[in-house]
Amino acid sequence: MSIFGRLRFSSQGAFRSDVLRSELEEEMRTHIDQRADDLEAQGMSRREAQRQARVEFGAFERFREESQDALGGRLIRILLEDLRYAVRQMRKSPGFASIAIVTLALGVGAATAIYSVVDAVILEPLPYIRPRRIFVPRTIAKEGYQQPPSWPGYEDMRAQNRTFSALAGYTDYTNTDLQTKSGPVVLDLVASTANFFQVFGVEPILGRTYRLDEDQPGKNNVAVLSYDVWKSNFGGDPNVVGAKFDLDGKPYACIGVMPPGFMIKGDRHAIYTPIVVPRRRLNDRGYHWVEVIGRLKSGVSVERAQADMNHVMSDLGRAYPGTDRGRRVELISIAEDTYGDQSGGIWTLVGAVLAVLAIGCVNLTGLLLARSIRREREMALRTAIGASRRRVIQQVLTENLVLAFFGATGGIAIAWLLLIELRGFLISAVARGANAHLEWKVLLAALLLSSVTSTVAALTPALRLSGTDPNSALKAGGNTGTSTAQHRLRSAFIVTQVALSLLLLSIAGVLLRSIAGYRNEKLGFDAHHILTAEIDLSSARYERRNVWADFYQPLLERIRSLHGVEGAGLISRVPIQQGGGVNEQIHISGQPPYPPDEVTLAEMRLVSPGYFDAMGIRLIRGRMLSSGVDLANNKAGSIVVNQAFVNKYIPKPLDPVGQHLDDASKADLKTEIVGEVTNVRQDLIGKGVSPEMDWLYTELDPRDLNTNLMSTHLMVRTLGNPRVIVPELLTIVHRLDPTAPIRQPQTMEEAISDSLVMQRMESWLFGIFAAIAILLAVVGLYGLVSHEVELHTRDIGVRMMLGATRGSVLRMFLRRVTILLGLGIGSGLALTVATQKLIQSVVDMQIVHESGLLLISAIILMLMGLTAALIPARRAASIEPMDALRAE
Amino acid sequence: MSDQAQLLPGTVDLLILKALSLGPMHGYGVLLRIAQISQQAILVEQGALYPALFRLLRQGLLKATWGFSENNRRAKFYELTAAGQKRLGEETAGWNRLATAIRLVLVAKPEEV
C-alpha cells in the first residue's frame, strides 16, 4: 500500500477515532447477530442464541481496541484522548490549574527575560573577528591609577612591541558636526590611527577601510561610516562611497561603510576618521589621552604579550624618567573593557532568577503532590477497571504537558513584558543592553526545566498509585500513610520558599535604600532647577574668530536675560552626568614632596564666568574668578579650589588663598589659588567629593580657548521647571550659530536618574523577584494549610466534640504555621549571612548594619504568611463537628 | 478439540486471504468459509478475526465496502486487492515449500540419514 494510503488510515485512526470506533462496533455487533441468526435457525431461542453468540465472540472490547490499533494512528489517538481528558480535569479544578499555570509562567518568564539580557550583554560574542585575540593595554601610572598613554608613549609602544600584529591608538570621546541638508547633526567620532580596522578584522560592506598611510596629513580627509550613520544620515545610499561632506567644517570623503552591528564600546552611531594629533601633543609625554587597542600576533599568549609590553614600558621609563617612570601595563580583554564591572551584578541577577525558578518549581511540585493525593481514589478506580500502569503514567504526563503548554504561553507574555521594561533601563546603562531580545532557546530550556520538575513531582505519586492495590485506596477514609510524608515534604518546601523570599526581600530593600541614599546625597547643588546641555561647534567656522566673544558671551548674556533664568555658565565636564576622570597630579608649593605611592590628583575643570552662580556654588574664602582680573596674558593662572581640595592638600593652619601649584619652574608662573568654594560632587557612585580646581576659560590664550570651547556644556539655573526654557534656549543658539547643534538638554535630576540606572534596574528586578517569591510562598502556604484542614477534618470534629473550642482549633493551626514561618525566616537569615559575599557584588550590604531592614522583612513575611493561613484556619475553626464526623 | 489443528500464529491472515480469494464476503462469512474449507478442522476465535482483517486492510491486501448481508443487515464486505492476490500466491508457495521440506524430514528413514 502506498504511503498515502497508510497515512490516510493513520489519520483516520488518530482523528476520526470516534467514527471508526462506532463503525467497528456496528460491524462486530452485526457479526454477533448473524451468528445468533444461525444458532436460532438451529433451534435456540432468540435470547439463548444471542447470549451464546456473544460468548463465542470473545472479549469484545479488547478485539475492538486491537482492531482500531491495527488500523494505525494509535499513538496520536491516545495522545488526543489524554489531552481531552487532561483539559477536562483542569476545568474541573480551575483553582489548582490557574495557580499552577501562573507559577510556571512567572518562573519561566522571569528566567527567560533575565537570561536574554545576560546573553545579549555578556554571552553574545563581540562583533569582531576572533575577539579573544583583541586586547586593551591598560596603562597604569606609578601611583597606581589608570592613565592612558601620551601620544609619543603610544607610538613607542607600537614601534617597540613584538607581540601585537596591530596596535592602534584612537579617541572615541569626541564629537563631530556633520552638516546635512536639514541642519547640523552631532555624531560620535572615532578618530584613530590607520591600522585601526586591522585590529578588529571586520570587512566593510561597501568600499574599504583606511590604507596604512591615510593617517598622514594631506591624506587623512577620509571617513568610514558606521551602518547606523549610513542608514540614518546618508539615507542608506548604495553609492555613498566617494560622497563628500563636511565634518566640523572640514571636507571629507566617504571611503566605506561598516556592517550592521559593528561598533566600538557599544556606540553604534559613530563615524570613523583618521586621527589628527594636535601639533603640541605630538611630542608631549606628559599629556595622557590616547586610547589603545590591539590584536595579538597568532600564537602569542596573553602572558607573553603582557610581559613584552611591560618590557617596553620599563625601557621607556629609563629613557624618559620624568614622565614615564614606573608605568606599567595590564592587558585587558576587549570583553572586559567593553562591559566593565557590570558582569558581577548581572551574574547575581542570574542567581536571583534561578532562585525564582527554584521557588516556582518547588511550589508546583507541592501543588501537584497535594493534588495527586486527592486523586488517589480516581487512580485506584482506573487501575481497578483495567487501565494499564503505563497508561496511567502516560495520562499524568499528558496532564503535565497541558499545564506546561499554558504555562509556556504565560511565560512568553511575562518575559516579553519584562524585556520591554528592562530594555528601557539597559539602553542607557549597559553598552549592549539594547540587543536584549527574547531568546527562544532559553524559554524552551526554562520550560523544559519546570516541566521536568513538575513531571517528576506528579509522577512519583502516580507511580505509587498505579501500583496500588485498589482496595486499600478505595476504602472509606483511605488515607494511605505516606500522605503524611508528603505533607512533611510540602512543609519543607514552604520553609525553603519563605527563606528565599526573605533573602530576596532584604536585597531589594537594601537596594532601594541605597538608591534613596544616593539621591539624597549632598550633591552641592539643587538638582531640581538646573538644566544642562552640550554644545558642539564646527572648528572651521571659528578658525579666525574668537569663539568666546562671538558666540558664548552673547549666548550666556541672552540666556541670563530669559524669563525665569537665575544663572547660566559653562563647564568643561558636567558633574554626575559625566563623572570624574579629567585630572592631574598636583603639588602645593612649599609643601614637602608627597610620598611616591600616594594618589595626589585633583580634578581639573574649565568654567565660564557665571558658572558658580548657575550652580549655586558659594565662595568660602578669598575671591571668585573674574574675567576682568584673571586675564589670558597674566603670567600665572588663577584657580579656585573646592573644600575637598583644601582638606586634602592644604594643612590646617595655612590659608588656601595665596598658595601655588608646582606647575612651572619659575615662581611667578605658578598657578595661584585665589579662592575656596563649596563642594560639588563629581561622581554619584563613589568615594565622595574629589578635590577639584577650576580655571576660567578666558584665562586660556586665544588659540587654546577656541579649541577648548569647540565642545562645552551649558549649565542653566531656573526658578521653576528647567525644561520650560528649552525651546527658547534652542532659538537663542540657533540665532547665534545656525550650524551649532545642541545636544541632550537634560535636567540634573534626569542626569542623576541616568547615572543610577543600573541600581534602579537592579532594585526593580529584585523587588519583582521578591514580590514573586513572596506571592508563591504565600500561595503555597495557603494551599498547604487548606490541605491540612481537609486531611484533618475528622480529627477536628472529634476534638470539638470532646470540648475543644473554636478558638483553640484556630490557635492550633496558627501555631503550626508560625513554627513553619519561623523556621523559614530563620533559614532565610542564615542564608543571607552565608551568601553575604555574593550579595556584595550587587549591593553593599553589611549584615550587622542591616538588622533593622532584616527585621522589617521578617515581620512582613510573618504577617503575610499568617494572613494567608488565617483563611483556611478559620474554616477549620468553623467546622460543625457533626458534619465533620459524617463526612467521608 | 483434539481433531482441530493447532493454529500457528500468523496463519489467520493466510486463511483470510484464501477465504476471500473465493469472492468478497463479510466478516462472519469469512469465518464460516474458513470452517467450511478446512472441514471444521480450523475454528478461528470469532472476535480475533477483526484485528486480523484490519491489519490486512492497512497493508493494502484487502479493501472494504459497506453493503447488505443475506438477512438485509448492513455489513462491511471485504475483498482481495491485486496486492492481496499476489501475497496469497507467495504465502501459499511458501507454505508448500515448508510442508514439503517437513514431510521429507519426517519421512526420512534412519538409513537414509
Side-chain angles (χ1 to χ4, degrees):
Chain A
M1 160 145 295
S2 73
I3 199 92
F4 291 116
R6 280 187 203 252
L7 265 174
R8 201 160 47 87
F9 277 131
S10 294
S11 64
Q12 250 194 328
F15 301 113
R16 300 187 63 232
S17 57
D18 298 334
V19 174
L20 213 68
R21 182 194 172 122
S22 49
E23 276 189 5
L24 247 177
E25 285 179 353
E26 188 185 344
E27 190 180 349
M28 287 159 116
R29 251 178 261 125
T30 312
H31 178 120
I32 296 174
D33 289 341
Q34 288 173 317
R35 178 72 183 137
D37 288 349
D38 284 354
L39 287 173
E40 204 185 351
Q42 290 173 16
M44 280 191 184
S45 73
R46 183 69 204 171
R47 264 185 60 194
E48 265 295 307
Q50 199 76 27
R51 201 188 58 82
Q52 172 88 343
R54 184 67 190 76
V55 165
E56 281 179 6
F57 191 82
F60 190 90
E61 271 304 311
R62 182 163 67 88
F63 287 133
R64 181 198 56 74
E65 212 171 304
E66 274 183 36
S67 304
Q68 247 189 311
D69 287 350
L71 209 50
R74 176 162 191 266
L75 272 125
I76 301 183
R77 175 170 56 87
I78 290 186
L79 189 65
L80 281 176
E81 268 177 32
D82 285 346
L83 275 175
R84 256 178 262 147
Y85 183 74
V87 173
R88 253 204 323 269
Q89 285 298 107
M90 280 176 61
R91 286 164 84 181
K92 281 210 293 206
S93 36
F96 159 79
S98 40
I99 292 179
I101 291 174
V102 166
T103 305
L104 253 182
L106 282 175
V108 167
T112 309
I114 287 299
Y115 184 83
S116 304
V117 169
V118 171
D119 189 64
V121 172
I122 290 185
L123 299 177
E124 210 173 277
L126 289 163
Y128 316 128
I129 303 293
R130 298 191 34 239
R132 294 228 186 92
R133 302 297 292 164
I134 304 178
F135 284 88
V136 172
R138 203 170 265 176
T139 343
I140 301 173
K142 71 176 188 293
E143 293 82 3
Y145 49 81
Q146 277 180 39
Q147 192 181 54
S150 59
W151 179 257
Y154 156 71
E155 286 194 305
D156 288 334
M157 282 166 78
R158 175 174 173 177
Q160 294 178 29
N161 87 82
R162 279 178 283 188
T163 45
F164 279 84
S165 64
L167 193 72
Y170 69 100
T171 59
D172 66 344
Y173 43 76
T174 55
N175 310 314
T176 182
D177 293 342
L178 172 70
Q179 290 302 334
T180 64
K181 286 188 276 290
S182 43
V185 171
V186 181
L187 298 175
D188 294 321
L189 178 67
V190 178
S192 66
T193 53
N195 60 354
F196 184 70
F197 290 100
Q198 283 180 354
V199 173
F200 301 98
V202 179
E203 289 297 315
I205 52 169
L206 287 178
R208 60 177 179 83
T209 56
Y210 308 133
R211 283 195 297 261
L212 283 176
D213 62 349
E214 267 174 337
D215 52 10
Q216 303 302 323
K219 307 204 179 96
N220 56 9
N221 53 349
V222 292
V224 176
L225 309 177
S226 63
Y227 187 81
D228 277 21
V229 165
W230 178 53
K231 278 283 179 192
S232 43
N233 301 111
F234 289 85
D237 180 4
N239 298 313
V240 73
V241 177
K244 294 208 192 342
F245 46 86
D246 276 1
L247 292 176
D248 282 342
K250 299 193 203 63
Y252 276 80
C254 171
I255 54 166
V257 178
M258 294 307 284
F262 179 80
M263 56 186 168
I264 308 296
K265 294 215 190 112
D267 189 359
R268 310 182 97 100
H269 207 77
I271 192 168
Y272 303 89
T273 65
I275 192 168
V276 176
V277 183
R279 196 161 303 151
R280 66 173 181 286
R281 301 289 175 216
L282 277 172
N283 290 309
D284 187 350
R285 285 184 186 271
Y287 193 73
H288 302 99
W289 56 283
V290 183
E291 304 276 345
V292 182
I293 192 166
R295 176 178 286 272
L296 295 181
K297 283 188 182 151
S298 59
V300 172
S301 69
V302 185
E303 292 79 20
R304 200 177 123 204
Q306 181 155 311
D308 177 58
M309 198 56 93
N310 274 311
H311 191 71
V312 172
M313 298 307 280
S314 54
D315 280 348
L316 288 177
R318 274 193 294 275
Y320 307 99
T323 50
D324 287 67
R325 192 157 48 122
R327 291 171 75 79
R328 59 184 178 86
V329 148
E330 263 177 26
L331 289 188
I332 309 284
S333 72
I334 188 173
E336 198 182 321
D337 188 55
T338 310
Y339 304 132
D341 287 333
Q342 300 186 327
S343 23
I346 298 232
W347 282 118
T348 314
L349 285 177
V350 171
V353 163
L354 286 176
V356 174
L357 202 57
I359 293 179
C361 287
V362 154
N363 220 351
L364 201 60
T365 309
L367 277 171
L368 285 163
L369 274 178
R371 189 168 146 78
S372 67
I373 293 176
R374 229 173 284 153
R375 294 178 66 197
E376 266 181 16
R377 298 183 111 211
E378 178 209 325
M379 295 285 180
L381 259 160
R382 306 183 83 222
T383 324
I385 301 179
S388 72
R389 189 172 172 152
R390 228 184 62 182
R391 202 67 171 68
V392 171
I393 293 175
Q394 216 170 318
Q395 215 142 40
V396 170
L397 277 171
T398 317
E399 274 182 46
N400 264 51
L401 277 175
V402 173
L403 267 182
F405 171 76
F406 284 116
T409 320
I412 293 176
I414 290 184
W416 191 66
L417 285 170
L418 271 179
L419 270 179
I420 291 179
E421 277 298 319
L422 283 175
R423 240 182 261 131
F425 277 125
L426 287 172
I427 286 173
S428 357
V430 179
R432 312 183 63 203
N435 290 337
H437 54 272
L438 203 64
E439 280 283 327
W440 292 98
K441 308 179 280 196
V442 181
L443 192 71
L444 285 170
L447 197 63
L448 199 67
L449 179 67
S450 49
S451 303
V452 165
T453 328
S454 60
T455 307
V456 168
L459 265 183
T460 328
L463 278 170
R464 198 178 51 85
L465 288 172
S466 58
T468 309
D469 170 24
N471 276 322
S472 63
L474 285 169
K475 261 191 257 175
N479 282 322
T480 56
T482 46
S483 71
T484 323
Q486 288 184 348
H487 193 75
R488 256 188 236 130
L489 196 62
R490 284 188 80 197
S491 308
F493 285 163
I494 298 289
V495 169
T496 319
Q497 283 172 291
V498 171
L500 285 171
S501 301
L502 185 76
L503 183 64
L504 290 172
L505 194 61
S506 316
I507 296 181
V510 175
L511 276 171
L512 276 171
R513 252 218 353 227
S514 73
I515 289 180
Y518 284 132
R519 284 191 190 276
N520 289 336
E521 278 283 351
K522 289 187 53 182
L523 300 167
F525 58 89
D526 175 8
H528 298 282
H529 294 102
I530 298 182
L531 185 78
T532 178
E534 185 180 329
I535 301 183
D536 297 285
L537 302 177
S538 303
S539 44
R541 191 182 158 92
Y542 292 92
E543 212 142 288
R544 274 172 285 270
R545 294 153 66 180
N546 183 328
V547 70
W548 169 252
D550 282 351
F551 178 77
Y552 286 107
Q553 201 164 18
L555 176 77
L556 290 173
E557 269 167 33
R558 288 185 204 182
I559 293 176
R560 285 188 201 120
S561 67
L562 279 179
H563 181 67
V565 170
E566 302 238 301
L570 305 172
I571 186 169
S572 51
R573 196 166 172 96
V574 181
I576 310 296
Q577 190 194 63
Q578 295 184 288
V582 178
N583 49 30
E584 174 173 271
Q585 293 266 80
I586 61 114
H587 184 264
I588 301 290
S589 281
Q591 291 300 312
Y594 301 137
D597 316 327
E598 197 174 305
V599 177
T600 50
L601 295 170
E603 296 281 320
M604 302 156 52
R605 300 284 186 272
L606 286 163
V607 301
S608 75
Y611 167 76
F612 297 106
D613 193 36
M615 292 294 275
I617 297 174
R618 288 179 339 271
L619 186 68
I620 297 178
R621 244 187 285 261
R623 64 167 179 86
M624 278 294 195
L625 296 170
S626 152
S627 48
V629 177
D630 302 304
L631 303 166
N633 48 23
N634 283 1
K635 277 208 184 143
S638 314
I639 53 172
V640 293
V641 296
N642 65 358
Q643 292 163 288
F645 185 101
V646 171
N647 289 340
K648 180 157 181 176
Y649 295 115
I650 314 287
K652 258 313 150 148
L654 288 179
D655 187 353
V657 179
Q659 299 295 324
H660 290 84
L661 297 178
D662 270 334
D663 57 348
S665 33
K666 289 172 68 179
D668 54 351
L669 294 177
K670 296 188 198 233
T671 305
E672 183 184 356
I673 299 178
V674 300
E676 180 186 354
V677 292
T678 53
N679 279 333
V680 163
R681 264 194 96 117
Q682 297 90 354
D683 250 318
L684 197 52
I685 320 287
K687 342 94 233 171
V689 185
S690 307
E692 182 178 318
M693 38 193 194
D694 305 324
W695 279 265
L696 270 187
Y697 270 113
T698 46
E699 291 185 62
L700 298 170
D701 68 65
R703 229 187 12 179
D704 280 338
L705 180 65
N706 259 29
T707 316
N708 275 291
L709 277 177
M710 279 306 113
S711 178
T712 183
H713 300 266
L714 191 62
M715 308 292 293
V716 181
R717 185 157 58 94
T718 59
L719 258 182
N721 181 355
R723 287 222 147 258
V724 170
I725 61 151
V726 170
E728 290 169 286
L729 194 66
L730 294 173
T731 319
I732 294 178
V733 172
H734 189 77
R735 286 227 194 91
L736 278 170
D737 180 354
T739 68
I742 185 165
R743 253 210 323 195
Q744 303 170 354
Q746 196 181 40
T747 64
M748 284 310 284
E749 210 171 345
E750 287 162 4
I752 293 172
S753 286
D754 270 5
S755 70
L756 287 177
V757 138
M758 203 60 190
Q759 283 77 0
R760 277 163 58 216
M761 179 184 80
E762 280 177 352
S763 76
W764 185 84
L765 272 171
F766 273 97
I768 296 267
F769 289 156
I772 291 177
I774 295 176
L775 189 70
L776 291 174
V778 159
V779 162
L781 189 63
Y782 174 84
L784 183 73
V785 178
S786 297
H787 189 233
E788 255 197 59
V789 170
E790 255 185 66
L791 274 181
H792 297 295
T793 308
R794 261 264 218 79
D795 297 344
I796 298 172
V798 171
R799 271 178 214 253
M800 285 185 144
M801 292 289 282
L802 294 177
T805 64
R806 298 193 187 284
S808 66
V809 169
L810 189 67
R811 273 200 301 277
M812 180 181 77
F813 272 103
L814 286 183
R815 195 169 43 231
R816 302 204 23 191
V817 168
T818 312
I819 294 177
L820 268 184
L821 285 172
L823 273 173
I825 290 174
S827 335
L829 288 172
L831 193 64
T832 312
V833 172
T835 54
Q836 192 172 353
K837 272 246 159 82
L838 225 67
I839 300 174
Q840 296 284 28
S841 64
V842 175
V843 62
D844 203 10
M845 178 157 142
Q846 302 286 15
I847 300 292
V848 184
H849 298 161
E850 302 302 347
S851 44
L853 190 79
L854 288 172
L855 189 65
I856 293 178
S857 310
I859 293 178
I860 291 177
L861 273 175
M862 185 63 97
L863 282 175
M864 293 195 72
L866 282 173
T867 316
L870 203 64
I871 304 167
R874 281 192 33 200
R875 224 188 307 137
S878 56
I879 287 178
E880 291 296 333
M882 285 316 291
D883 294 336
L885 290 171
R886 236 180 276 134
E888 307 272 334
Chain B
M1 306 200 287
S2 52
D3 54 342
Q4 288 210 313
Q6 293 271 29
L7 209 52
L8 296 172
T11 54
V12 184
D13 293 15
L14 181 56
L15 295 173
I16 294 175
L17 287 176
K18 179 66 184 178
L20 285 174
S21 69
L22 305 173
M25 182 43 81
H26 52 69
Y28 184 59
V30 167
L31 200 70
L32 293 178
R33 258 194 212 156
I34 293 177
Q36 201 175 45
I37 306 173
S38 69
Q39 295 165 20
Q40 310 299 327
I42 299 177
L43 287 177
V44 180
E45 189 185 5
Q46 301 206 16
L49 191 67
Y50 287 90
L53 279 171
F54 276 72
R55 207 163 42 233
L56 294 170
L57 249 187
R58 186 188 162 86
Q59 289 172 32
L61 305 174
L62 302 179
K63 69 172 188 270
T65 23
W66 282 97
F68 285 93
S69 73
E70 317 80 43
N71 306 34
N72 261 329
R73 283 200 182 349
R74 203 169 102 93
K76 224 188 215 167
F77 283 78
Y78 295 88
E79 63 180 300
L80 276 189
T81 61
Q85 194 83 296
K86 191 165 139 213
R87 175 70 69 86
L88 179 61
E90 288 164 6
E91 292 284 310
T92 311
W95 263 105
N96 285 333
R97 275 198 301 277
L98 183 63
T100 315
I102 291 181
R103 197 177 312 119
L104 275 178
V105 166
L106 292 174
V107 158
K109 296 208 177 59
E111 311 88 62
E112 291 169 12
V113 174

